[in-house]
Structures are given as structure tokens and as C-alpha cells.
Amino acid sequence: MSKILLVTDSETHKELIIKTLAKSSNTIISSTDENAVLSYVEKSQVDMVIVDDESTSIDVLILCKKLHSTAIKNNIAIAAIIKPDTENTELLKLANVYITKPINSKVLVSCINGSLKLKKAIDTLSTNNSELAKSLYQLDVLYNTSTQLAGSLDKQKLINIMIDGLEKSLSFSLSYVLVFNDEHNIDLIINSLYDISPRLEHSLKLRAILSYRALFDKKRIPYELNVKDIKVIKNIKHLFEEYDLNILKFDNLFAPINIGEKFFGLIEVFRENDYTQEDTTCFQTLAKQVSLPLENASLYEEIKNTNTKLERLERLKSEFISIVSHELRTPLTAIKNSLEICLSGKAGEVSSITDKFLNMAKRNVTRLSGIINDLLDLSKVEAGKMDFKFEKTNINKPVEFIKNTFENVAKEKNIDLILKKEENLSQTYIDSQRIEQVMSNLVSNAIKFTNENGTIEIKTENIKSSEINKSLLIGVENPVFYDNYVKVSVKDSGIGIAEEDIKKVFDQFQQIENPLNRKNGGTGLGLPIAKQLIESHKGFIWVESEVNRGTTFSFVIPVLTEQEKFLSDMDKEILKSKTCENSLLLVLIAENKNTETSFIKNIKEEKISIIRKTSNTKEAYYEDDSKNYLAIMIPEADKFAQSFIEKKIDSILYNESEEQKDCKYDILYSTALYPENGKNAQDLMKTAQNTLKEKAEAVL
Amino acid sequence: MSEAKKILIVDDEQDIVETLKFMLEAQGYECLCAYDGETGLNMAKDHMPDLMILDVMMPKINGYKISRLLKYDKKYKDIPIIMVTARSQEDDKLIGQETGVNEYITKPFELDEVITKVQEYLK
């Protein structure tokens, strides 16, 4: 049923219209008072207005003008009854429909009903629309909130994000969140539009406790909660007004917040207007949504704590080993010295039996110092504190040295110690002393576990990366392979290693755990140390064995080009920079090979020393088909250092004497900074190469 | 043979001092001993030993400092110093060289090793 307002002072028209429209069960009111009409329309009390252009007591055109905008806003149609020959085009424009006189009742009904139907349709549409807009907004807030929630691992922040999201989507007046940090650390976070009275604060505490108890109903409550345990955190928007107890009469929504299975807290929000079903859904979704990130946050916290603890323990272990070993050395020296004095006979005559036991003591002291040295080595190499002196050399040298050292020991056991060396072995970057340490360990082990009359064969050879049986590498994370390697193997005809033990041979203290091997002495640290030392060379060590047939230990060291070696050094340096958040600068200088005198070599010898002096730099000289390169890395450099060094190189390269001007374009340089230009040595080198290319093209 | 050569041993570990002293005296050297850095430094200045055996970690003044103080002083710079220490990292050796130490021996050492070195310097 619709309400129609009729504006006419023609009684005939009035009578006719009322009679006609009343049939289709419409209510018709009539008025010629302009203010009354405006008020009806403004308050949306009518669905339609019919104006008659022949009214004399009221100016219909002015009325329509005044009605126009409000009518559109409130979706109220205006129908005008006009003379057929009217020249009042303005009125025609303002009206939604018009009916010409004389009034035909059928036309009138269909016109009016049509307009009313349209109005109804539009009304429904706009209600739907606004509901849609509202849920769209809520969805948007939900989405944004969930995105934010996913991005944070801080509990306090998560709670704030949730409250913020709730405020945006539900526009509450007051909310409180009860959060259990732990048993005696309970926060009540109150977010409120206006200040809250002390009375209200107290009753909110009580309410929170009651809600908390209600949550668990008859089940046991996790913690007993007292008012005095609760710490209140208030976030008030406006302080000029104050809420009192009456806010508790507002409509409210309530939800628990869980972390996984565990209870974390609860939330309640109050609002003056009632909540709709959608609001409730939205609220519950948000309260649930916060659970997962909160759980993540707790887990993250736990992991972080465990990690710090582990790191501390690891450091303590290293420090402990290092301190203990140092401390042990001093008394050990005193014991050793005393024994030596006794053995020398200078402190009095020594009987043969005393001599035997003194020698036994001395032998064991020597063994003990060996163990301490092993421990120290392992802790050093694990902590990355061991210094290596890498040199490009032939690995046959240290291998041969160890073979000669052990020749006599092997002879005593009547073991045949053979060395088959590859004469054309590629040169590799090794620390000979460390390789000797590894070899000495492998060979002494081999002798220890080989019976008399056995054979031990040491072999060196060049191999390709593809020839390494990757399944034999144990405990290597993300191995990096180079193309070429030199391989050293020590093959014995000894007792062999049982299959289940093979995986453990490189584990620390393995031998100590194995009583069978114990009688053979040693700490069981030799192989773990060897593994660490070989891996510091970017190589791999592995073992193949057959019980009672023998064991073969093999290790490979990559054959690196100068460039590869430089890159790997740079990566090491970058790793160091990372821990102290330092930068690193790469300078790459290239010259065309056709240059008559190698300028780079000149620079390398003399000029770059200026750069070199600035800090602890390393450089590499290498070449490809057309160019010679000099790469220099400068640790602890920043953007300022970069521009300083660029200026310096500019002055060296380009502001020299006349003769060098000719070759100006034969030599170019570029720089790249870690971490700005690349996250590892490869990336930095690529950046530098690209800059060089661009520069070369610019010159052409 | 003229007067016996004087060797000053400075180490806070009395047992080590004693064993060293015993062996060196058996070789015919005269030994002076100090058990902390300060006394050691004063004794070096008072007695002008022909050689010093010096520990690193000691109370009051450490071995590096003593070595530096003596080696940068014209009057004492010619006294050979043998550094004996439980510290064996490469850095420590470098510091030793920088402070002018002549020899660097790490604990645990062989007494014979020390004696050979001493004989080399006191030929």
C-alpha cells in the first residue's frame, strides 16, 4: 500500500483522482500548504506526489523546484497533471511523469502504479546495495586485518590489530580484552571511545572474571583469577566525556581467544546500536582469525628462546673446551718436565724398573697433550677461528711427506706402505700443514687397523666432479660442486668398518662410545677434525669399507681457477660481514689484451697499493679470451668509501701522462657494493661485469 | 770457562720455573727466578741477564709488555727473550714477533727443546 500526496485546489480533480486511485488500495492525502508538502517529502512520509498545474493557491513550479532534490534523495516520484497545450517545459522537466488533461482514469492508474512499482524496485535495490556495501566494507576490513595479522609475530601487536579491525568493522563504543600472558601476568586491555569511570573500570574487571569463569562452565578453570591480579591498560579516544555503568546495558558481543587448544584470553565489545547477524559473524571471524597468528607468535617466541639458548650453549661449549685445554697445558708441562728430569738421571740414579714406569708416564702425558690439541683444533675449526694459509700448490708434496714420516712405523708392523702418485696433478689451493694433519690421521688409522703383513696404498689422481659418488657423502648440507678435483685416497687391508658404523665415523667422540675400538687409543676426534679441515678447503671426505677386506678413506679438493678462488674468498668475507652487518666493496678492472704493456700488472704492483693500504683487501688477477682482469675486494667499505675509491682509480687510470691517454679506452673499471648490488659474490661479480659492459658500449 | 751465564726465568707457575731451573743449572747456567711480571722486569733491569725465559699470562705485567719495554730500550734490547706460553694461536705468535721476542715456544714443551734454544743464543 502506498501513500500519495495530492496537491490541487480543483475539487473536481481531487474527487476524480481519489476515487480512481483508492481502488488500488492507496492512501491519498491532500494538501496545498507548501511547508506541509515539503515536510512530508523530507521525512519520506509519502511515496509519491501528484501536482496539478492549475492550482491557484500555490505555485506548483516553485514547489516542484523546492521538492526536486529531496524527492530524488528519498526516491519519491513527482507526477504532474498538465494542460495539453502547456508551455511550462520547466515543470515537465522536474516531474517524473505527467498526465495531460482531461484526466483519463485508466491512464492515471497505470501511470501512477508504474511509478510506484519503479519506486519500490529502486527502494529494494538500494537497501540491498547498502547492505552489500556494508558487508563489502566488513569483508575489506577482515581481509586487511587478516593480512596484517599474518605479517606479525608479536602478541601485543596482534591483539592491537584485531581490536583495530573490530573497531573499523563494528564501530564499537567500548571493548575489553582479557589476555593471559602467564599465570600472574594478566592484562585487561580496554579500548574506549570515552573515558571510563573508576566504578565502570572495577565492574569491567569483575565482568571479565565472570565471563572467564563462564567460559569454562563446570570444567576446571586453568587459573584462579583475582581482581588484584589484573593489570588494566586503557586506550581512550576522547577524554572529555565519561562512560559509566550504563554502558553495560549496551548491546554486546563476546568471544574467547584460543591459541591452538590452549586458552589465551577473551574479548567483549559494547555498542549503543544493536548488532546485526552480519556483525556477529564478522566479530567471530576476527576473534578466530587472531588465534592462528597468535599461535604462530607463541611458537616463534618459543623457537627464538630455544635458539638463543642453543647458541649460548654452543658458544659456552667452545669457550669451555678452549679454556680447559689451555688450562690443562700448564700443569701438563710441569708433569712432563719433571718426568724428563727424572728420566735424564740428573735427579739421581734410575733403576730399570723405575725407568720403565717413568717412560710409561711420559708416553701417556704425550698422548694426553695430543688429545688436548685435537680438542682445541676441533673447537677452533668449528667456531671458524682456525686460520688457514691457502697456497696454490701440488698436493703430492704433503702426501709424500706423510708417507715418508710413517714409513718406519709401517715397517715395524711389516706393512707395505705404497704411494701411487699422479705426476701431472693439477695445482690446488691448500694449506699444506692442514692437509698433512689429515693425511697423518688417515695413515696412522690405516696402520692401526691393519694387521701385520698387510698393505696400505696411498693414491693421488685428477678426477671430474661427475666421478664423485655423491651417495657416499655424509652430513654435508647443500654441497657445492666444482668441475675438477684432485683426489687422495688411503686404502688399507685392515679389519674394515661395519655398515652400521660407517655413518658414524665422522661423528665426534665416536670412538669413545665404541668399546671395541677403544683399545686402539685415540680420542675419536681425528676423523671429525679431518672432515672439518677438508670442508674448509671446499672439498669432501668419505669412506668405503668392507668388513675384513679393508677400508678406503678418500678426500677431494676442488681445482679452482683464480677467479673461483677469489669468489669463494669473497663469500667467506661476506659471511663475516653479515655477522657484524658490514659492507664489502668489489672493484673490477679490465683491460683489453691487445694493450702493449699490461697496465693492470703495473697497477697491481704499484698503484693499487694506495687502495690496499686502506684496509684488509684481497685481490685476484685472471683473464679470459679478450681481457685481463684484476678483482679487488675491500671489506668494511660503504658508499662513501666507494666514491672515494672510484675517484682514486679515476685519477690513477685517466689523469696520467700523455702516452697513457692513448690507451684510455682500453682499460675500464667498475665497482659493486655488498649488500646493495648483490647478496653474494656471484651476484656482485655479475653486477660489476654488467657495468663494465655498459661502460665499454658507451665508449664505442 | 769464564763466569756462568745468567738466565732469568719469569713465570707465575712455580713448578715450571723449578723444572726449567733444575735442567738449566744442570747445564751449568746460573738461574734467577721471578714469579710475577713486575718483579721479573725489575730483576731484568737490576741483574742484566744473558737471556730471559718469559711466560705471557702473568699477574701485574704480562709477558708481551715486559718484552716490549725491554726491546725498545737501548740498554736492554740485546737480551734474547724466549717466550713460553700455553697460548698458541697464530695471532699470539704475531704479537710476540711484534714485541721483539726472539723465540716462541708453546706449552707443553720438551725441556730439551728449550735447552737447545738457550744454547743457541748463549754460544
Side-chain angles (χ1 to χ4, degrees):
Chain A
M1 199 181 79
S2 304
K3 255 187 184 174
I4 297 166
L5 175 61
L6 184 59
V7 185
T8 179
D9 44 20
S10 151
E11 284 302 323
T12 15
H13 283 158
K14 200 164 152 186
E15 200 179 320
L16 175 73
I17 291 169
I18 289 175
K19 222 169 105 187
T20 319
L21 295 180
K23 276 182 199 159
S24 35
S25 72
N26 290 311
T27 317
I28 293 136
I29 42 176
S30 170
S31 170
T32 46
D33 177 36
E34 191 184 284
N35 285 335
V37 171
L38 284 175
S39 148
Y40 276 126
V41 171
E42 204 145 300
K43 289 181 186 158
S44 266
Q45 281 162 338
V46 293
D47 298 307
M48 188 165 187
V49 183
I50 302 174
V51 294
D52 184 355
D53 70 342
E54 272 177 304
S55 307
T56 44
S57 58
I58 185 166
D59 187 329
V60 173
L61 184 62
I62 290 174
L63 175 74
C64 281
K65 273 184 186 166
K66 282 183 182 166
L67 280 178
H68 188 68
S69 63
T70 334
I72 287 176
K73 198 179 98 199
N74 293 346
N75 191 22
I76 294 167
I78 299 172
I81 299 170
I82 52 164
K83 287 180 281 188
D85 55 347
T86 188
E87 280 159 18
N88 200 345
T89 46
E90 232 178 309
L91 183 63
L92 294 182
K93 269 182 204 160
L94 287 169
N96 299 71
V97 289
Y98 52 89
I99 301 149
T100 44
K101 292 174 207 173
I103 298 170
N104 176 315
S105 61
K106 276 182 187 160
V107 172
L108 178 73
V109 169
S110 73
C111 258
I112 300 300
N113 280 354
S115 292
L116 284 172
K117 256 187 208 159
L118 194 65
K119 175 195 155 58
K120 247 183 217 159
I122 290 174
D123 276 349
T124 328
L125 207 69
S126 80
T127 334
N128 284 348
N129 237 353
S130 76
E131 268 167 23
L132 221 79
K134 200 179 154 210
S135 33
L136 201 68
Y137 177 71
Q138 282 189 347
L139 258 174
D140 198 41
V141 172
L142 266 177
Y143 172 75
N144 280 334
T145 312
S146 67
T147 320
Q148 281 180 31
L149 284 175
S152 179
L153 283 172
D154 178 327
K155 281 188 192 170
Q156 200 63 47
K157 234 189 198 165
L158 287 169
I159 297 283
N160 287 340
I161 293 169
M162 179 186 68
I163 294 172
D164 201 44
L166 282 174
E167 197 186 341
K168 275 189 193 137
S169 56
L170 304 179
S171 62
F172 56 77
S173 315
L174 181 143
S175 78
Y176 70 79
V177 188
L178 187 72
V179 181
F180 284 78
N181 298 311
D182 58 59
E183 197 166 340
H184 300 289
N185 186 1
I186 297 142
D187 291 338
L188 184 70
I189 306 165
I190 302 175
N191 280 42
S192 172
L193 197 57
Y194 299 128
D195 205 358
I196 50 174
S197 66
R199 244 184 354 163
L200 178 61
E201 187 180 316
H202 186 71
S203 49
L204 282 177
K205 278 190 198 171
L206 290 175
R207 191 182 172 99
I209 294 174
L210 285 175
S211 311
Y212 163 68
R213 288 201 184 134
L215 264 182
F216 293 93
D217 199 15
K218 276 166 197 157
K219 274 181 269 168
R220 217 169 63 82
I221 296 168
Y223 312 120
E224 200 51 57
L225 193 57
N226 286 312
V227 177
K228 62 175 172 27
D229 292 334
I230 299 178
K231 199 178 98 200
V232 175
I233 301 166
K234 279 190 280 192
N235 301 310
I236 311 291
K237 273 222 173 115
H238 306 293
L239 285 167
F240 52 81
E241 249 180 85
E242 197 180 73
Y243 281 131
D244 200 6
L245 293 184
N246 57 351
I247 194 156
L248 300 175
K249 286 187 214 145
F250 286 8
D251 198 11
N252 70 325
L253 290 171
F254 167 84
I257 304 167
N258 297 317
I259 299 183
E261 299 290 297
K262 265 164 65 194
F263 173 74
F264 174 74
L266 55 91
I267 178 165
E268 189 165 9
V269 296
F270 297 91
R271 187 171 78 174
E272 205 160 357
N273 308 339
D274 287 356
Y275 290 108
T276 62
Q277 189 56 46
E278 284 82 42
D279 291 342
T280 319
T281 319
C282 177
F283 174 76
Q284 279 167 350
T285 313
L286 265 174
K288 261 187 215 147
Q289 243 180 9
V290 79
S291 304
L292 190 65
L294 271 175
E295 193 179 356
N296 285 345
S298 313
L299 285 176
Y300 176 73
E301 226 166 75
E302 226 169 86
I303 290 171
K304 219 168 96 185
N305 288 341
T306 321
N307 240 358
T308 339
K309 229 189 252 166
L310 274 177
E311 266 167 30
R312 217 183 115 249
L313 276 176
E314 186 65 34
R315 214 183 46 241
L316 274 178
K317 188 195 99 183
S318 259
E319 275 170 17
F320 174 78
I321 289 180
S322 154
I323 289 169
V324 165
S325 321
H326 276 135
E327 288 300 313
L328 285 174
R329 283 180 178 208
T330 303
L332 211 58
T333 309
I335 297 173
K336 202 171 168 184
N337 288 355
S338 310
L339 287 170
E340 267 175 55
I341 289 170
C342 293
L343 278 166
S344 71
K346 291 193 173 92
E349 211 175 302
V350 184
S351 73
S352 69
I353 192 97
T354 314
D355 189 79
K356 183 185 152 193
F357 286 115
L358 283 177
N359 266 316
M360 192 189 288
K362 197 188 162 195
R363 212 168 45 239
N364 281 290
V365 167
T366 311
R367 204 173 120 199
L368 193 55
S369 4
I371 295 171
I372 291 169
N373 283 338
D374 275 0
L375 277 170
L376 258 178
D377 272 355
L378 193 66
S379 75
K380 253 198 270 177
V381 84
E382 271 185 348
K385 277 185 190 156
M386 190 172 272
D387 290 316
F388 289 93
K389 286 193 210 81
F390 288 110
E391 259 179 313
K392 194 166 189 174
T393 180
N394 190 327
I395 208 166
N396 275 335
K397 272 190 232 163
V399 169
E400 220 165 351
F401 174 77
I402 292 300
K403 191 238 169 191
N404 294 335
T405 312
F406 280 93
E407 213 139 45
N408 285 332
V409 190
K411 227 175 241 168
E412 276 172 29
K413 254 182 117 177
N414 214 8
I415 290 170
D416 212 2
L417 186 60
I418 313 163
L419 170 61
K420 281 188 183 166
K421 59 178 181 184
E422 163 68 53
E423 293 297 341
N424 292 319
L425 205 62
S426 306
Q427 297 221 321
T428 43
Y429 288 92
I430 53 168
D431 180 334
S432 296
Q433 220 183 328
R434 298 299 168 195
I435 295 297
E436 280 167 18
Q437 195 178 341
V438 173
M439 279 307 291
S440 141
N441 186 276
L442 296 183
V443 175
S444 69
N445 266 349
I447 294 175
K448 213 183 284 173
F449 294 111
T450 299
N451 294 327
E452 289 196 8
N453 305 322
T455 317
I456 295 171
E457 184 188 293
I458 306 170
K459 194 172 160 192
T460 61
E461 57 193 313
N462 291 314
I463 64 162
K464 294 247 173 271
S465 155
S466 54
E467 292 172 64
I468 299 174
N469 183 350
K470 271 95 183 169
S471 65
L472 291 172
L473 308 180
I474 303 161
V476 188
E477 280 169 33
N478 311 320
V480 179
F481 293 98
Y482 294 89
D483 295 340
N484 297 302
Y485 286 90
V486 293
K487 179 181 168 192
V488 181
S489 49
V490 179
K491 184 178 170 188
D492 67 41
S493 59
I495 55 172
I497 305 167
E499 210 179 321
E500 64 267 27
D501 289 331
I502 278 195
K503 278 186 181 161
K504 296 190 225 152
V505 293
F506 295 111
D507 287 354
Q508 291 174 26
F509 302 107
Q510 196 45 51
Q511 209 182 12
I512 286 176
E513 283 169 18
N514 190 340
L516 192 80
N517 282 345
R518 212 165 176 177
K519 65 170 198 258
N520 288 303
T523 46
L525 286 176
L527 286 172
I529 293 172
K531 184 169 189 275
Q532 297 269 12
L533 291 177
I534 293 298
E535 281 170 7
S536 297
H537 282 77
K538 298 202 157 276
F540 305 105
I541 185 166
W542 68 88
V543 59
E544 292 154 279
S545 186
E546 223 177 306
V547 175
N548 294 329
R549 295 297 276 284
T551 306
T552 308
F553 277 95
S554 313
F555 66 86
V556 287
I557 305 284
V559 180
L560 299 179
T561 62
E562 184 151 7
Q563 188 185 5
E564 281 169 332
K565 170 71 181 149
F566 180 76
L567 287 178
S568 100
D569 282 349
M570 195 150 78
D571 269 330
K572 245 184 244 163
E573 203 62 47
I574 283 175
L575 209 66
K576 264 193 234 161
S577 307
K578 255 186 205 161
T579 48
C580 40
E581 287 177 18
N582 266 330
S583 305
L584 182 131
L585 182 68
L586 164 71
V587 180
L588 187 62
I589 306 176
E591 77 180 348
N592 291 338
K593 262 192 174 166
N594 56 22
T595 328
E596 272 177 34
T597 51
S598 174
F599 199 58
I600 280 187
K601 272 191 181 152
N602 264 338
I603 293 169
K604 202 180 166 214
E605 300 308 319
E606 298 162 25
K607 306 285 169 38
I608 298 299
S609 64
I610 306 167
I611 302 170
R612 226 181 276 152
K613 263 178 209 158
T614 56
S615 64
N616 167 35
T617 65
K618 273 190 191 137
E619 71 261 344
Y621 174 82
Y622 55 92
E623 49 195 86
D624 64 13
D625 296 339
S626 62
K627 284 188 172 71
N628 299 323
Y629 294 95
L630 176 63
I632 308 166
M633 68 168 124
I634 305 169
E636 288 168 50
D638 54 13
K639 276 191 175 152
F640 297 105
Q642 186 180 21
S643 65
F644 171 77
I645 281 162
E646 279 179 355
K647 266 182 212 155
K648 207 155 211 175
I649 299 176
D650 272 335
S651 73
I652 295 169
L653 292 188
Y654 304 133
N655 297 336
E656 290 281 331
S657 60
E658 283 300 311
E659 56 178 307
Q660 271 158 4
K661 265 189 183 161
D662 302 334
C663 63
K664 185 169 174 179
Y665 301 124
D666 280 333
I667 182 156
L668 291 166
Y669 78 94
S670 68
T671 59
L673 199 61
Y674 166 85
E676 282 86 343
N677 301 123
K679 293 220 155 43
N680 55 43
Q682 284 273 347
D683 286 359
L684 282 178
M685 193 52 92
K686 231 178 247 167
T687 312
Q689 290 276 21
N690 286 340
T691 320
L692 269 186
K693 236 182 242 165
E694 280 165 26
K695 276 193 177 179
E697 276 159 17
V699 168
L700 284 172
Chain B
M1 192 174 147
S2 60
E3 212 179 306
K5 299 260 181 172
K6 257 188 291 183
I7 297 173
L8 174 58
I9 309 171
V10 193
D11 193 331
D12 58 329
E13 287 288 332
Q14 297 208 15
D15 287 354
I16 292 195
V17 173
E18 204 146 317
T19 52
L20 273 172
K21 184 172 175 249
F22 184 93
M23 282 306 264
L24 289 168
E25 279 177 352
Q27 301 290 320
Y29 297 111
E30 184 190 335
C31 287
L32 300 163
C33 305
Y35 302 107
D36 69 71
E38 198 179 354
T39 321
L41 184 65
N42 289 334
M43 280 174 81
K45 288 182 176 174
D46 293 346
H47 298 276
M48 279 298 276
D50 297 293
L51 183 140
M52 275 178 83
I53 297 177
L54 198 55
D55 183 32
V56 177
M57 313 269 266
M58 278 185 300
K60 293 185 188 166
I61 305 177
N62 73 37
Y64 291 136
K65 202 161 177 191
I66 293 175
S67 162
R68 211 175 276 137
L69 285 169
L70 293 174
K71 287 290 177 186
Y72 289 98
D73 192 323
K74 254 190 196 160
K75 228 169 130 190
Y76 311 105
K77 73 172 171 39
D78 292 328
I79 303 176
I81 295 179
I82 298 178
M83 196 76 119
V84 175
T85 178
R87 303 176 61 128
S88 68
Q89 286 183 327
E90 295 298 314
D91 289 355
D92 301 329
K93 279 192 187 169
L94 284 179
I95 296 174
Q97 278 163 19
E98 181 258 318
T99 57
V101 168
N102 300 66
E103 284 293 336
Y104 201 96
I105 297 176
T106 50
K107 290 177 190 170
F109 52 80
E110 303 273 339
L111 275 176
D112 287 345
E113 190 188 350
V114 182
I115 287 164
T116 319
K117 293 276 184 229
V118 168
Q119 283 168 340
E120 256 174 50
Y121 280 96
L122 296 182
K123 237 181 233 167

